Amino acid sequence: MTDPNAIQPSELDQLPDRDPEETAEWQASLDAVAKAAGPHRAAYLMRRTLERAEGNGIALPKLLETDYVNTIPTAAEPGVPGDEEMERRITAWNRWNAAAMVTRGSKYGVGGHIATFASAAWLYETGFNHFFKGKEADGSGDQLYIQGHASPGIYARAFLDGRLSEQHLDNFRRESGGNGLPSYPHPRRLPWLWEFPTVSMGLGPLSAIYQARFNRYLTARGIKDVSQSHVWAFLGDGEMDEPESTAALALASREGLDNLTFVINCNLQRLDGPVRANFKIVQELEAQFRGAGWNVVKSLWGSAWDELFQLDTTGALVRRLREVPDAQVQTYQTRNAAYIREDFFGKDPALVEMAKLLSDDKILECFHLSRGGHEARKVYAAYKAALDHKGAPTVILAQTVKGFTLGEGFASKNANHQMKKLTVDEFKQMRDLLELPIKDSDFVDGQVPYGHPGADSPEVRYLQERRAALGGPAPARRTHALAPLPAPAEKAFASFDKGSGTQNVATTMAFVRLIKDLVRDKETGRRWVPIVPDEARTFGMESLFPSLGIYSPKGQTYEPVDRDQLMYYKEAKNGQILNEGITEAGSMADFIAASTSYATHGEAMIPFYIFYSMFGWQRTADQMWQLGDQLGRGFLVGATAGRTTLTGEGLQHADGHSPVIAATNPAALSYDPAFAYEVATIVRDGLRRMYGEAAPGEDPNVFYYLTVYNEPLPQPAKPSGPGIDEGIVKGLYRFNTAESAGVSPTANAPRIQLLGSGTAIHWVLEAQKLLAEEWGVAADVWSATSWTELRRDALEADAALLRGEERVPYVRQALHGAEGPVLAVSDYMRQVPDQIAQWVEQDYSSLGADGFGLSDTREGARRHFGVDAQSIVVAALAQLARRGEVKATAVKEARGKYGL
């Protein structure tokens, strides 16, 4: 019978064989090896042949997994420059102080993590001593994404080199009293040390990729040459399960980001247990990264294993290492030599014989202590290989033991992530293991002491000399004394003050027109960074393609299909637009890199990221918090905003709540402008505050969120009179009165104040007219550009009153004396306008689009949610009826008249 799994001749038709006889000889050779030496030998030869082919540049599918051994053989390891014994002592001090800091803090119940840094200490120390460039180095130095749970070890090193005191360490996780240290890397809390927030796991690796890419962007556009900067991201193997961790791997390889290295601490444990209990996380990650086009370097075994590998003449050891699941590797870490002899070596006759040549101490040294991530020589070799590799990013998979050097109570225990302290006896065992000169008498009243060899000790001098040679302390964030950016020409903004006449213009279109003018500015135009997640044509931005170009490291290697059109799709090596495809997460990572360039690179860039408002905050709100923590500046623009403006798109596209989410972020200044001139005024003020001369008491480290709409309507001229610009920026101003609008009824008519934001202002204006003409009610209309800023100002006023200061909230000042009740309307859920309710002195009510969105026309959706002009009229009459200012029957009559 024919083997059904065998390749049939017809299947080979698309792979023409020019020499079938030669092919048959190769196949026969492989069969012969498998028969004579076994399938393992045949597989070995195939792997080595594929590796040789890859090394010679022969186009073949890549081998996705290699053996469970170090990529760099011991014989090929370069020597570590410097004093290895001195570096061992420095690392010992840092291990001790990291554990002491968390243990001493545990009495306050503030938590902390010990085991992560214990496993990763050499991964950091080797980098700090030999690789990580500081801010005085070429370009901007290196960018370090520190694993959040390892922060105690970074603090310990800063303590050793004199940047932190014992008081700082004692205030770990206790910041409110001053001189405190944040739990994790938080630039907003410790802005001279931390650059990148990383502990919201998964965001670090994603941001690191886009930071490396943005470095290339800055260099290609001639803003600053940062080609010597390298991005290092330190990650946990469990962290790689977050979808953001691997979301942009293909981007990094596609664009050849050899200025990027991931260092994954493979201690095989996540928070509650093994990362891959029944599998092997290292092999899985290797296949994933190699498949994405990365260079992979594995540093798995320490030097104690060299003897075992030399004894492995049959490959049995390598095969056994490949088949043992991770959870069993963790078990070996906690078991005696007899158990390891039986369970590991006892599975293969060749290994049984090998084990007879090994002492119990040797077995325990290998299985308990010797990992590639715990030896400076192994780590140094991996780092050097990463920097030497060109054309692709590198990932280093370093195997370690979680809780290493912390004693048997910690090492590889499932619960060690939650274990916050060591006993005095455990510290004494640790002291002896690390050979630290700390006396028993130093433990006063049972409290572990901090250890320091002295400011002028050989260890501290060595540490500081190494950092000086590499360009200064690290990690470090530097706030450059940048000159304010010059304000763009006033005419770019003033043109919107005239309105659009009879032309219908959506506020999205108005924003894009404004940007077109601003990017032409001779002084600051090149600093704008337009970011779009594959929706530029939706937002009317395609006209920017040929003038600014879309950034691509390859330029344009093809002739675009629309080359004969004025607005053709143009890619360029120095392109200004970042068009990321369908990835809000990637676009936000772009924005974060650009918005913090003023600190990272000393170059202020002005990013604006325009997106479907529903999918920005809802999908990536965690990254917005990261942005706020990282002190980013720029403009987020939620386009096609509102619950009722995106006709026909339905439930998941209809945004009724992004301002609510934005309001939760203290760094986000959220605006819902109604008119083009409001957009221009807000952007102008944002440029002043973030990039120009901030007023006293203003924090420039904020970002703006503007909602803009796709509803083309005539844009009115900017009202004249004092305080309009102030009102637009602060959140509220009177757009018109019944009298100025020409809809004033009788002199004694009931009066109401109508507040509207965004596109809702148009329904409010229509309601103003209906109230006057059909119901004899005078309505004044107010534009509420920011409910959130009004609320924040009011909260600050409340706090000031509690301090004994006299201060009236702006919203109360603005509405003071306004006649009648207040009715607030927006295209969002009522929670948005209700933010200001408690500070309005008049009777207050609101209308909004609560609930899920739906597919319909704009008119149908607005009637459904009860926010159209007629619904506003009925709500206004109801308010006035409750006050006895119109007849109660008017409400019922209006409902019937309008079919509500």
Side-chain angles (χ1 to χ4, degrees):
M1 292 182 62
T2 303
D3 182 356
N5 296 317
I7 298 177
Q8 303 304 311
S10 60
E11 296 181 54
L12 301 176
D13 289 348
Q14 296 198 59
L15 297 171
D17 191 343
R18 294 183 300 179
D19 192 341
E21 185 176 346
E22 182 183 35
T23 303
E25 290 176 358
W26 276 77
Q27 292 172 334
S29 297
L30 183 64
D31 292 343
V33 171
K35 184 176 181 179
H40 296 305
R41 178 61 180 170
Y44 175 86
L45 291 175
M46 287 298 297
R47 286 198 301 273
R48 292 296 176 262
T49 303
L50 286 171
E51 288 171 359
R52 174 60 63 88
E54 183 178 333
N56 290 338
I58 298 173
L60 282 172
K62 289 192 174 184
L63 189 67
L64 294 186
E65 284 188 37
T66 59
D67 287 322
Y68 202 68
V69 296
N70 295 348
T71 302
I72 304 169
T74 301
E77 292 171 0
V80 180
D83 188 332
E84 291 189 57
E85 172 56 25
M86 185 69 72
E87 292 175 19
R88 185 198 66 77
R89 297 207 300 270
I90 291 171
T91 305
W93 285 117
N94 292 338
R95 286 182 180 279
W96 177 272
N97 287 321
M101 178 195 329
V102 177
T103 297
R104 287 168 67 130
S106 67
K107 66 183 179 182
Y108 301 106
V110 294
H113 302 282
I114 302 177
T116 295
F117 178 73
S119 67
W122 277 113
L123 302 180
Y124 291 107
E125 292 300 324
T126 303
F128 284 129
N129 287 326
H130 301 287
F131 292 95
F132 304 157
K133 295 189 290 292
K135 293 297 183 182
E136 282 86 35
D138 292 340
S140 304
D142 288 352
Q143 287 82 57
L144 307 180
Y145 287 76
I146 304 295
Q147 192 179 1
H149 293 127
S151 61
I154 309 305
Y155 290 141
R157 194 171 216 274
F159 170 64
L160 201 64
D161 73 8
R163 292 198 290 163
L164 292 176
S165 66
E166 285 195 15
Q167 183 183 17
H168 285 113
L169 301 193
D170 267 345
N171 284 326
F172 174 59
R173 292 193 169 206
R174 294 191 300 139
E175 299 177 73
S176 61
N179 289 320
L181 298 179
S183 53
Y184 303 123
H186 293 302
R188 187 169 284 275
R189 293 302 185 201
L190 202 62
W192 60 268
L193 180 73
W194 298 120
E195 281 195 286
F196 308 109
T198 54
V199 85
S200 189
M201 288 188 284
L203 299 190
L206 179 68
S207 293
I209 290 173
Y210 280 90
Q211 181 66 58
R213 199 281 200 89
F214 189 74
N215 290 357
R216 291 281 173 87
Y217 171 89
L218 281 182
T219 302
R221 291 196 53 223
I223 302 292
K224 183 178 182 179
D225 183 358
V226 293
S227 57
Q228 299 304 307
S229 291
H230 199 84
V231 178
W232 300 83
F234 288 83
L235 318 167
D237 46 1
E239 179 179 8
M240 300 310 294
D241 282 345
E242 290 284 5
E244 294 89 351
S245 295
T246 55
L249 297 186
L251 167 71
S253 61
R254 184 169 66 244
E255 299 201 1
L257 298 181
D258 52 21
N259 61 338
L260 169 68
T261 297
F262 276 15
V263 182
I264 302 182
N265 178 17
C266 297
N267 57 34
L268 313 185
Q269 288 184 248
R270 54 191 180 200
L271 276 60
D272 292 324
V275 178
R276 292 290 183 273
N278 294 299
F279 305 94
K280 300 192 79 63
I281 186 61
V282 169
Q283 300 299 87
E284 178 182 320
L285 291 174
E286 178 184 27
Q288 192 169 18
F289 278 88
R290 287 176 70 89
W294 286 53
N295 176 46
V296 179
V297 177
K298 294 196 288 192
S299 182
L300 307 181
W301 307 110
S303 56
W305 283 82
D306 290 348
E307 179 183 341
L308 276 67
F309 288 125
Q310 289 171 1
L311 295 172
D312 184 30
T313 58
T314 65
L317 177 62
V318 173
R319 290 196 300 274
R320 181 66 178 137
L321 289 173
R322 193 164 61 238
E323 69 187 22
V324 175
D326 284 352
Q328 191 63 20
V329 173
Q330 298 296 85
T331 298
Y332 294 149
Q333 180 71 35
T334 63
R335 297 295 193 269
N336 59 28
Y339 179 91
I340 298 171
R341 284 183 187 277
E342 178 182 351
D343 192 86
F344 181 83
F345 292 98
K347 303 296 184 182
D348 187 294
L351 293 181
V352 171
E353 294 303 312
M354 179 190 293
K356 292 178 180 178
L357 304 175
L358 304 174
S359 67
D360 285 354
D361 287 344
K362 182 65 177 180
I363 288 174
L364 293 179
E365 180 186 12
C366 289
F367 283 85
H368 285 191
L369 303 175
S370 189
R371 299 291 187 273
H374 293 322
E375 295 187 13
R377 183 174 294 270
K378 304 293 185 184
V379 176
Y380 182 91
Y383 285 7
K384 188 174 186 304
L387 293 184
D388 289 346
H389 187 83
K390 302 303 176 186
T394 294
V395 59
I396 295 169
L397 304 174
Q399 186 164 261
T400 66
V401 175
K402 192 165 186 177
F404 188 65
T405 72
L406 297 180
E408 294 180 359
F410 266 83
S412 290
K413 294 297 174 62
N414 283 340
N416 62 19
H417 189 80
Q418 304 300 331
M419 296 163 69
K420 313 299 182 187
K421 58 184 178 180
L422 279 70
T423 66
V424 169
D425 286 342
E426 287 171 331
F427 266 110
K428 290 179 179 179
Q429 293 171 12
M430 182 181 178
R431 171 200 62 189
D432 296 341
L433 175 66
L434 298 176
E435 299 177 348
L436 290 172
I438 296 173
K439 302 185 294 294
D440 286 354
S441 59
D442 293 332
F443 291 81
V444 179
D445 296 328
Q447 178 163 271
V448 56
Y450 294 121
H452 200 293
D456 196 40
S457 64
E459 292 93 334
V460 173
R461 288 201 306 272
Y462 181 89
L463 180 156
Q464 293 174 341
E465 287 167 2
R466 292 305 308 141
R467 290 311 314 156
L470 288 165
R477 181 180 183 274
R478 178 167 298 174
T479 303
H480 300 263
L482 298 179
L485 293 182
E490 182 60 28
K491 67 178 183 180
F493 305 101
S495 62
F496 293 89
D497 293 350
K498 302 174 183 178
S500 64
T502 59
Q503 181 186 8
N504 289 335
V505 177
T507 51
T508 298
M509 189 186 306
F511 177 82
V512 172
R513 286 183 181 177
L514 175 62
I515 294 301
K516 288 179 183 176
D517 290 337
L518 294 176
V519 296
R520 294 191 189 104
D521 185 82
K522 293 181 180 179
E523 295 288 340
T524 59
R526 72 191 189 113
R527 296 191 177 275
W528 284 88
V529 183
I531 303 169
V532 194
D534 203 38
E535 290 283 2
R537 297 184 191 278
T538 301
F539 307 138
M541 293 177 61
E542 66 270 25
S543 62
L544 297 177
F545 289 169
S547 59
L548 301 183
I550 299 166
Y551 170 74
S552 169
K554 289 185 176 294
Q556 194 152 38
T557 61
Y558 60 92
E559 183 178 354
V561 66
D562 54 359
R563 183 62 183 88
D564 58 340
Q565 298 178 18
L566 181 62
M567 293 184 288
Y568 71 98
Y569 195 84
K570 177 186 175 183
E571 296 188 79
K573 291 182 179 179
N574 62 346
Q576 192 166 350
I577 300 169
L578 293 172
N579 193 339
E580 293 303 351
I582 305 174
T583 167
E584 287 85 2
S587 299
M588 265 308 300
D590 260 340
F591 187 90
I592 292 170
S595 70
T596 54
S597 180
Y598 74 93
T600 307
H601 295 301
E603 294 287 346
M605 304 299 288
I606 312 172
F608 79 87
Y609 164 34
I610 188 167
F611 49 86
Y612 263 63
S613 65
M614 182 69 166
F615 299 131
W617 282 90
Q618 180 155 305
R619 280 190 179 229
T620 58
D622 195 14
Q623 286 179 284
M624 273 74 162
W625 276 92
Q626 179 189 9
L627 168 65
D629 192 347
Q630 203 167 318
L631 309 175
R633 306 170 183 175
F635 296 95
L636 297 176
V637 183
T640 60
R643 180 145 280 165
T644 69
T645 63
L646 197 56
T647 55
E649 291 287 353
L651 184 150
Q652 202 165 347
H653 282 65
D655 172 22
H657 55 273
S658 70
V660 177
I661 307 175
T664 65
N665 190 313
L669 276 58
S670 179
Y671 286 89
D672 186 25
F675 305 123
Y677 67 80
E678 293 178 354
V679 173
T681 301
I682 293 164
V683 170
R684 178 176 57 193
D685 192 70
L687 290 172
R688 174 199 62 79
R689 177 170 178 171
M690 295 185 291
Y691 300 97
E693 296 283 358
E698 277 187 329
D699 182 4
N701 299 314
V702 294
F703 60 93
Y704 283 64
Y705 175 53
L706 279 71
T707 47
V708 293
Y709 297 81
N710 68 330
E711 188 168 13
L713 292 164
Q715 294 294 325
K718 188 176 184 178
S720 59
I724 298 297
D725 283 0
E726 179 189 27
I728 292 172
V729 172
K730 288 192 172 183
L732 183 68
Y733 69 98
R734 183 155 49 196
F735 175 72
N736 69 21
T737 63
E739 291 74 17
S740 65
V743 295
S744 179
T746 62
N748 296 321
R751 187 172 290 268
I752 190 170
Q753 307 299 316
L754 301 179
L755 279 58
S757 67
T759 198
I761 199 82
H762 298 284
W763 326 326
V764 169
L765 289 168
E766 185 181 349
Q768 179 190 44
K769 185 177 180 181
L770 291 174
L771 282 166
E773 294 178 351
E774 299 183 5
W775 304 97
V777 172
D780 301 334
V781 174
W782 299 70
S783 179
T785 54
S786 180
W787 310 100
T788 301
E789 287 306 295
L790 291 173
R791 175 179 175 80
R792 288 175 177 172
D793 172 80
L795 290 172
E796 291 174 6
D798 285 356
L801 285 173
L802 293 176
R803 296 193 299 269
E805 304 170 17
E806 288 296 327
R807 182 173 166 189
V808 179
Y810 177 80
V811 64
R812 184 166 295 169
Q813 294 178 44
L815 290 171
H816 179 66
E819 186 180 347
V822 169
L823 175 61
V825 188
S826 83
D827 202 16
Y828 297 95
M829 55 197 302
R830 288 177 60 182
Q831 185 176 338
V832 175
D834 283 352
Q835 291 181 86
I836 66 170
Q838 73 185 79
W839 293 281
V840 176
E841 62 186 31
Q842 294 87 349
D843 293 339
Y844 186 91
S845 64
S846 64
L847 296 176
D850 285 78
F852 286 112
L854 78 164
S855 300
D856 211 317
T857 63
R858 291 185 179 118
E859 294 76 14
R862 286 162 191 169
R863 176 55 60 93
H864 169 81
F865 287 111
V867 292
D868 61 348
Q870 292 77 16
S871 298
I872 294 171
V873 169
V874 171
L877 293 173
Q879 267 191 292
L880 292 168
R882 284 194 295 270
R883 295 162 58 94
E885 296 179 19
V886 300
K887 294 180 180 179
T889 56
V891 180
K892 182 178 180 180
E893 182 183 347
R895 283 202 301 266
K897 180 175 183 176
Y898 299 133
L900 297 176

